[in-house]
Amino acid sequence: MLFPATGNSASMATKIPAEKFGKCQCETHRSKSILYQILHQEHASETKWNQQHCSPHCSTRSKGCPCLDRRRAVLRTPEATCRRASEVLLKTSSFIRNLPSFYHMPWEDQFVLIQQNWAPLFVLGMAQEGVDFDLREIPATSLLKKILLNQSSTAMNELGSSSAGASLTEIQKMKNLLWKFWDLDISAKEYAYLKGIILFNSECCVLKCLSYVQSLQQEAQKALMEFISMFHGSLSRFALILQLITSLRDIDANAVEELFFRPILGEATLNVLLIETLYIKPDWL
C-alpha cells in the first residue's frame, strides 16, 4: 500500500513477502514517491491513507490489519429498510410483552436482559422476517485533499472519528449470519424457542432472579430440542442452531443501531426507546 522507492534496493525489497515483517499486505502494493516521503512523517496521516488505498489482497485473515475494520457503510435504500427494521423491532417487543414470565421479574432484571440481548433478538427477528438489505460504502475523505485544504492533524482525526455509518466488518458478519439462518429454513416454532433462549440469557449479568432466568432458558432449550427431535429425527440440527445462537451474541449492538435506527432516531438512544415500549419504567429514566 505504500509507494515503492525507486532504485535496485527498493526493487529487491518488494520481492520480500509482507507477512515476513508482520505488516498488512496493503502496504506492499503501492509505490513510494516524494509525496510518500512527506506523508511518512505523520503516522496518523499515513494510517488514514492506508485505509483509503487498501489492496484487495488484504483480507480479514491478515491479523493486525486495520483496513477492513475502518471501512464504513450505510444502507443503500434507508427509507424502505429502516421501515422494515422498525417493524421487526415492534414484533420483537410484542413477543416480549406477551411473555408473562418476563414481567414476573423485577424491573431491574427486565432492564438488564433487554439491554444485553436486544441486538441478537432483533437480528433473529430480521432472519425470521426474511429482511435482506443492500449497502453503500462511505468513501472517506482523501488525505491529500485534507493537506491541500490546510487541515490540521487534530481536524483530520476528528473527521475520521465522526464518520457516519457502521463498521463494514460488523455488518458483513450480520449478513452472513442471516444467510445461515435462512439456509436452515427455521420454522416459526423454532424461532419462538430461540427467542426465549436468547432473551433469558443470564451470562455476564447480575440479576436478582438469576436462578429463575436460568430455569426459563433451560426450559426453552429443552422445548427446542424436543421439537427438533420430533420433527427432524436428528439432534445435529439442534447443535447447528445452538452454534448460531453463540454467533448471535457476538453481534455488535452499536453497529445494528447505527445502521438501522440512527437515520430515524437521530440522537435518541434505542435502549431507552425499547424500555419505554416495553413499559419498563425505572425512576431515573
Side-chain angles (χ1 to χ4, degrees), residues 111-124:
F111 176 79
V112 170
L113 290 176
I114 291 298
Q115 188 176 42
Q116 176 177 296
N117 301 315
W118 76 263
L121 277 172
F122 169 77
V123 175
L124 188 64

Side-chain angles (χ1 to χ4, degrees), residues 51-94:
Q51 174 189 346
Q52 305 310 316
H53 299 276
C54 177
S55 159
H57 298 288
C58 180
S59 69
T60 53
R61 290 175 291 181
S62 301
K63 294 184 178 180
C65 173
C67 304
L68 290 181
D69 290 336
R70 291 175 179 170
R71 293 166 63 185
R72 316 284 290 182
V74 293
L75 296 169
R76 186 172 293 277
T77 55
E79 184 176 349
T81 307
C82 287
R83 183 174 62 250
R84 294 212 63 190
S86 299
E87 292 170 355
V88 170
L89 192 66
L90 286 174
K91 288 184 178 181
T92 302
S93 300
S94 177

Side-chain angles (χ1 to χ4, degrees), residues 97-112:
R97 284 200 303 268
N98 290 325
L99 290 176
S101 54
F102 181 77
Y103 286 98
H104 286 164
M105 294 183 292
W107 68 259
E108 296 93 339
D109 287 1
Q110 297 176 36
F111 176 79
V112 170

Side-chain angles (χ1 to χ4, degrees), residues 5-278:
T6 57
N8 293 334
S9 59
S11 177
M12 294 175 61
T14 56
K15 298 178 182 179
I16 302 175
E19 293 87 344
K20 189 168 184 179
F21 296 99
K23 293 184 178 180
C24 167
Q25 293 182 33
C26 305
E27 300 183 7
T28 65
H29 295 281
R30 304 285 175 180
S31 59
K32 288 182 181 177
S33 67
I34 296 176
L35 177 60
Y36 165 76
Q37 300 293 345
I38 297 172
L39 300 182
H40 186 65
Q41 299 174 10
E42 296 287 340
H43 176 69
S45 300
E46 176 189 350
T47 303
K48 186 67 178 179
W49 191 93
N50 288 347
Q51 174 189 346
Q52 305 310 316
H53 299 276
C54 177
S55 159
H57 298 288
C58 180
S59 69
T60 53
R61 290 175 291 181
S62 301
K63 294 184 178 180
C65 173
C67 304
L68 290 181
D69 290 336
R70 291 175 179 170
R71 293 166 63 185
R72 316 284 290 182
V74 293
L75 296 169
R76 186 172 293 277
T77 55
E79 184 176 349
T81 307
C82 287
R83 183 174 62 250
R84 294 212 63 190
S86 299
E87 292 170 355
V88 170
L89 192 66
L90 286 174
K91 288 184 178 181
T92 302
S93 300
S94 177
F95 170 82
I96 297 173
R97 284 200 303 268
N98 290 325
L99 290 176
S101 54
F102 181 77
Y103 286 98
H104 286 164
M105 294 183 292
W107 68 259
E108 296 93 339
D109 287 1
Q110 297 176 36
F111 176 79
V112 170
L113 290 176
I114 291 298
Q115 188 176 42
Q116 176 177 296
N117 301 315
W118 76 263
L121 277 172
F122 169 77
V123 175
L124 188 64
M126 295 274 284
Q128 183 174 9
E129 298 299 320
V131 180
D132 201 0
F133 51 91
D134 294 322
L135 300 170
R136 176 175 60 83
E137 188 169 349
I138 302 174
T141 306
S142 163
L143 176 62
L144 181 58
K145 181 178 179 180
K146 293 177 183 177
I147 293 175
L148 294 177
L149 292 175
N150 295 321
Q151 291 180 316
S152 65
S153 297
T154 302
M156 287 189 284
N157 290 336
E158 289 176 355
L159 282 171
S161 62
S162 62
S163 59
S167 163
L168 186 59
T169 301
E170 293 298 328
I171 299 171
Q172 195 58 56
K173 281 168 52 179
M174 191 192 315
K175 287 181 71 72
N176 291 341
L177 193 54
L178 288 173
W179 281 106
K180 288 179 181 179
F181 274 106
W182 294 331
D183 285 343
L184 283 175
D185 193 22
I186 295 175
S187 67
K189 201 84 169 178
E190 289 172 314
Y191 273 118
Y193 295 139
L194 284 172
K195 290 176 183 177
I197 294 171
I198 292 170
L199 176 62
F200 298 115
N201 171 36
S202 59
E203 294 178 8
C204 304
C205 283
V206 178
L207 300 173
K208 292 184 176 181
C209 297
L210 179 60
S211 58
Y212 176 63
V213 173
Q214 290 174 337
S215 67
L216 290 173
Q217 187 183 59
Q218 291 170 2
E219 182 180 333
Q221 287 178 340
K222 181 181 178 183
L224 176 62
M225 183 174 63
E226 290 176 349
F227 179 87
I228 291 175
S229 179
M230 180 181 301
F231 289 95
H232 296 278
S234 172
L235 290 181
S236 59
R237 179 181 177 85
F238 179 68
L240 286 173
I241 291 177
L242 288 185
Q243 288 178 358
L244 291 183
I245 292 178
T246 301
S247 299
L248 269 177
R249 290 171 182 159
D250 291 333
I251 291 293
D252 186 344
N254 290 330
V256 174
E257 185 170 355
E258 286 298 319
L259 185 66
F260 296 107
F261 300 105
R262 186 61 55 217
I264 54 179
L265 284 177
E267 296 299 320
T269 304
L270 185 60
N271 249 333
V272 174
L273 180 63
L274 271 173
I275 297 304
E276 292 177 349
T277 303
L278 293 167

